[in-house]
């Protein structure tokens, strides 16, 4: 097994070198946001989807567009609005009176990276259409189903400060997102650099592709080969089950703050995301820190706090931090 790990590590270090090149290229047009970029790469490497929450003006769209250019992928941005229809997303059948036939016009969902901007502004029927694409990797138009590309990533954004005219995403749909990323304001130094770069009328620098979608697909096979020790598997199970049965795992005082714990998708995605984190860090094996670093993004939208937690100002992130701080680490 040691020889296998060493072999995988050597391959990982060679393949993961692209991260440094991507970050260096993005930093020519974007200040900061390494945290966001790293987690989007985790989703790309594991065939997952991402929900990004942050106030306006934090360069969410700019990061996604820039990363898509560097991967040479097809990008579509869809502005979700209350009057959006499923056909605006997936496409529709167009009747041609000349020959009396219907032809399929595919919608913007047929891309490699789809940015669903302000997803919570669209009604449930649009969410349902998006859900099929996310989960089944296919789209149904009329009586026919059309497969999506192997590289297909939905990046959805939502604004946490505006609730008027929005539709809350159902917990079942939230669970389909692999990660929920919360981004905050930049630091003072970063803000100063943003002012210096953006406070100009000139055209920003253009990004050129560094890798291709086929490279991402190839890297996924290597991510699957990264070694996950049974002790790490037990650690992941302990974390997830502590959200469902807190008293059985030494967190009896937290039970009143949790209505529902994380689903089995949390365990699956913690395994996948931890392997991807190890890959990005140039290792052929997962360490507990990989799990700890990505656990908040995997668990954040899968734990439903109780009314009592809301009343006492207990947040999901506080609960997760408590679990990570006190769960025994292998």
């Amino acid at each position: 097994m040691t020889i296998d790990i060493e072999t995988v590590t050597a391959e990982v270090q060679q393949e993961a070198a692209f991260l440094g090149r991507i970050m260096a290229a993005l930093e020519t047009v974007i200040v900061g946001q390494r945290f966001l970029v790293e987690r989007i790469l985790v989703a790309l490497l594991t065939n997952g989807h991402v929900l990004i929450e942050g106030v306006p003006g934090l360069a969410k769209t700019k990061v996604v567009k820039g990363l898509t250019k560097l991967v040479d992928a097809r990008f579509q941005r869809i502005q979700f609005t209350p009057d959006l229809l499923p056909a605006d997303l997936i496409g529709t059948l167009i009747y041609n009176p000349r020959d009396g036939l219907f032809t399929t016009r595919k919608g913007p969902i047929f891309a490699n990276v789809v940015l669903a901007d302000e997803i919570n502004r669209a009604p449930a029927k649009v969410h349902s259409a998006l859900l099929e694409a996310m989960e089944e990797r296919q789209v149904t138009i009329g009586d026919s189903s059309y497969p999506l590309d192997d590289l297909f990533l939905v990046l959805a954004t939502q604004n946490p400060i505006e609730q008027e005219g929005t539709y809350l995403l159902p917990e079942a749909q939230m669970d389909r997102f692999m990660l929920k990323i919360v981004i905050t304001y930049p630091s003072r130094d970063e803000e100063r650099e943003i002012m210096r770069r953006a406070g100009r009328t000139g055209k920003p620098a253009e990004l050129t592709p560094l890798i291709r979608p086929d490279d991402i697909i190839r890297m996924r096979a290597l991510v699957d080969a990264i070694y996950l020790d049974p002790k790490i598997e037990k650690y992941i199970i302990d974390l997830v089950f502590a959200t469902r049965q807190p008293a059985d795992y030494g967190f009896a005082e937290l039970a009143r703050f949790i209505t529902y714990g994380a689903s089995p998708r949390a365990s699956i995605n913690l395994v996948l995301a931890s392997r991807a984190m190890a890959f990005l860090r140039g290792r052929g094996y997962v360490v507990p820190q990989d799990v700890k670093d990505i656990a908040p993004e995997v668990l954040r939208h899968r734990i439903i706090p109780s009314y009592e937690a809301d009343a006492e100002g207990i947040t999901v992130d506080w609960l997760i931090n408590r679990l990570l701080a006190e769960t025994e680490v292998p």
Side-chain angles (χ1 to χ4, degrees):
M1 184 62 70
T2 302
I3 296 176
D4 292 339
I5 293 176
E6 290 176 352
T7 302
V8 172
T9 297
E11 294 178 10
V12 165
Q13 289 175 345
Q14 182 177 356
E15 292 282 14
F18 82 96
L19 177 62
R21 299 196 301 271
I22 284 178
M23 289 307 306
L26 278 177
E27 285 169 357
T28 64
V29 295
I30 297 168
V31 178
Q33 299 294 10
R34 186 181 185 94
F35 179 90
L36 175 60
V37 172
E38 187 177 59
R39 276 141 185 81
I40 293 176
L41 288 172
V42 165
L44 278 171
L45 290 167
T46 54
N47 207 18
H49 305 289
V50 179
L51 179 62
I52 307 171
E53 185 175 285
V55 298
L58 296 182
K60 299 185 292 291
T61 302
K62 196 171 184 179
V63 167
V64 175
K65 290 179 68 175
L67 190 57
T68 305
K69 283 186 178 180
L70 293 173
V71 180
D72 197 21
R74 289 182 291 113
F75 172 79
Q76 286 284 357
R77 178 177 182 264
I78 307 168
Q79 186 67 46
F80 277 49
T81 56
D83 61 347
L84 194 71
L85 298 174
D88 299 325
L89 180 70
I90 64 173
T92 189
L93 295 173
I94 304 295
Y95 179 71
N96 188 342
R98 182 178 303 172
D99 52 22
L101 298 175
F102 285 92
T103 57
T104 301
R105 177 173 293 176
K106 294 181 178 180
I109 197 72
F110 289 90
N112 297 124
V113 178
V114 176
L115 178 62
D117 217 356
E118 297 195 85
I119 187 174
N120 53 335
R121 290 200 175 278
K125 57 187 176 182
V126 177
H127 295 162
S128 298
L130 182 63
L131 186 61
E132 182 193 8
M134 291 170 57
E135 185 68 14
E136 306 297 333
R137 306 283 167 164
Q138 68 175 20
V139 168
T140 301
I141 304 174
D143 295 329
S144 302
S145 294
Y146 301 89
L148 297 167
D149 289 347
D150 290 336
L151 180 61
F152 174 68
L153 173 68
V154 172
L155 290 158
T157 69
Q158 62 179 15
N159 184 344
I161 62 175
E162 291 183 10
Q163 300 304 322
E164 185 177 349
T166 62
Y167 301 81
L168 290 176
L169 293 180
E171 283 78 8
Q173 183 168 359
M174 294 277 283
D175 199 31
R176 305 302 173 102
F177 286 97
M178 180 184 193
L179 307 174
K180 181 182 178 182
I181 305 170
V182 176
I183 57 175
T184 57
Y185 290 113
S187 66
R188 287 180 62 89
D189 290 340
E190 289 174 339
E191 187 102 4
R192 182 181 290 110
E193 183 61 25
I194 291 169
M195 288 166 52
R196 290 172 177 170
R197 291 192 191 184
R200 301 173 183 271
T201 58
K203 190 177 179 180
E206 287 290 333
L207 295 173
T208 56
L210 295 177
I211 58 176
R212 301 183 61 81
D214 290 345
D215 297 321
I216 296 292
I217 303 302
R218 187 186 69 252
M219 291 174 194
R220 286 178 181 174
L222 191 53
V223 169
D224 288 340
I226 288 177
Y227 177 66
L228 186 72
D229 192 89
K231 293 179 181 178
I232 304 291
E233 291 179 342
K234 178 182 179 299
Y235 179 52
I236 290 173
I237 292 294
D238 287 346
L239 283 174
V240 173
F241 269 71
T243 70
R244 304 175 193 169
Q245 304 160 7
D248 295 343
Y249 290 84
F251 299 100
E253 72 280 11
L254 300 184
R256 62 193 179 98
F257 297 133
I258 300 174
T259 301
Y260 293 102
S263 73
R265 286 196 184 96
S267 305
I268 295 168
N269 287 321
L270 272 174
V271 168
L272 290 168
S274 298
R275 281 188 164 129
M277 291 293 282
F279 177 92
L280 293 174
R281 292 164 178 176
R283 276 186 277 99
Y285 55 92
V286 175
V287 299
Q289 193 60 46
D290 296 325
V291 180
K292 280 191 166 189
D293 288 346
I294 201 65
E297 284 70 51
V298 174
L299 297 175
R300 177 177 288 129
H301 52 303
R302 293 186 165 93
I303 299 174
I304 301 178
S306 65
Y307 290 111
E308 194 170 349
D310 291 338
E312 296 190 22
I314 302 296
T315 65
V316 170
D317 281 350
W318 185 89
L319 293 169
I320 294 171
N321 289 335
R322 179 78 182 273
L323 293 175
L324 290 173
E326 298 184 22
T327 300
E328 184 179 355
V329 178

